[in-house]
Amino acid sequence: MKILISLTGATGLIYGVRLMEVLNKTEHHVSLIMSRWAKETLLIETDVTVDYVHALADQVYDNDDLAAAVSSGSYGIDATIIAPCSMKTLAAIANGYSEKLIVRTADVALKERRPLVLMPRETPLSLIHLRNMTTVTEAGGILLPPMPAFYHRPETIDDIVNQSIGKVLDFLKIPHNLFERWRSDQ
């Protein structure tokens, strides 16, 4: 698969970084776009560098490059994931405001009827957020907020992050062993 991962400035960059780390160990071709605020938030929230994240991708695109290959449906991205997805990015997607490459690629995914997975990060949610989520869902996007489960008894932050990333991989039908699945005999 050709997978596009976009990272925005919302809190929770650890989700996007972990997804990149997992996909880097697969045969899938992974492209990356990072917003300016994603780069800033990465430095605040993690101990990894922008160069580290870039090295996990097969191809890196600048968010200002609307002529990038991934801005066209003919390029053939199989799945687009925005992790984390800021409310600003969600609003732009919901309203077709493709000023930056991240939003343009989401628009392409929707118009081409290809998987678009958003991991929105905000709490509490306003009515505006909920309406934007509804609009994106009605257009074919998948909202997959990182809401941890606890039946697998997570012991570390990595356990919590891996469960949410595993849900993204499940949606894309990419095999993994990132978390223990529900069993009725627990």
Side-chain angles (χ1 to χ4, degrees), residues 89-108:
T89 302
L90 174 68
I93 294 166
N95 291 283
Y97 186 65
S98 301
E99 181 185 31
K100 298 287 186 178
L101 186 59
I102 290 173
V103 178
R104 171 60 188 161
T105 60
D107 188 41
V108 168

Side-chain angles (χ1 to χ4, degrees), residues 148-163 178-180:
F150 294 95
Y151 61 82
H152 64 289
R153 305 222 177 180
E155 296 178 4
T156 66
I157 291 174
D158 281 345
D159 291 342
I160 292 169
V161 170
N162 284 341
Q163 190 269 338
L178 291 177
F179 66 93
E180 186 176 337

Side-chain angles (χ1 to χ4, degrees), residues 29-47:
H29 182 275
V30 178
S31 297
L32 171 68
I33 306 167
M34 290 182 76
S35 74
R36 178 174 74 89
W37 286 108
K39 294 172 185 176
E40 296 289 333
T41 304
L42 183 75
L43 299 177
I44 295 167
E45 292 187 349
T46 75
D47 294 326

Side-chain angles (χ1 to χ4, degrees), residues 19-141:
L19 182 59
M20 295 289 300
E21 290 170 340
V22 170
L23 289 173
N24 182 260
K25 296 176 180 154
T26 69
E27 74 282 0
H28 303 289
H29 182 275
V30 178
S31 297
L32 171 68
I33 306 167
M34 290 182 76
S35 74
R36 178 174 74 89
W37 286 108
K39 294 172 185 176
E40 296 289 333
T41 304
L42 183 75
L43 299 177
I44 295 167
E45 292 187 349
T46 75
D47 294 326
V48 302
T49 66
V50 171
D51 288 340
Y52 171 79
V53 178
H54 282 187
L56 295 171
D58 296 300
Q59 179 73 45
V60 178
Y61 295 97
D62 187 287
N63 197 30
D64 289 321
D65 184 6
L66 290 174
V70 292
S71 71
S72 173
S74 67
Y75 183 70
I77 290 291
D78 296 301
T80 300
I81 305 156
I82 303 177
C85 181
S86 67
M87 291 300 109
K88 175 183 173 183
T89 302
L90 174 68
I93 294 166
N95 291 283
Y97 186 65
S98 301
E99 181 185 31
K100 298 287 186 178
L101 186 59
I102 290 173
V103 178
R104 171 60 188 161
T105 60
D107 188 41
V108 168
L110 293 174
K111 78 179 186 69
E112 298 291 331
R113 307 296 194 263
R114 295 182 182 138
L116 171 64
V117 178
L118 308 180
M119 295 185 83
R121 280 289 308 121
E122 187 64 76
T123 191
L125 297 170
S126 74
L127 183 58
I128 294 167
H129 300 148
L130 295 171
R131 285 183 175 151
N132 286 336
M133 288 179 180
T134 299
T135 297
V136 169
T137 301
E138 289 172 343

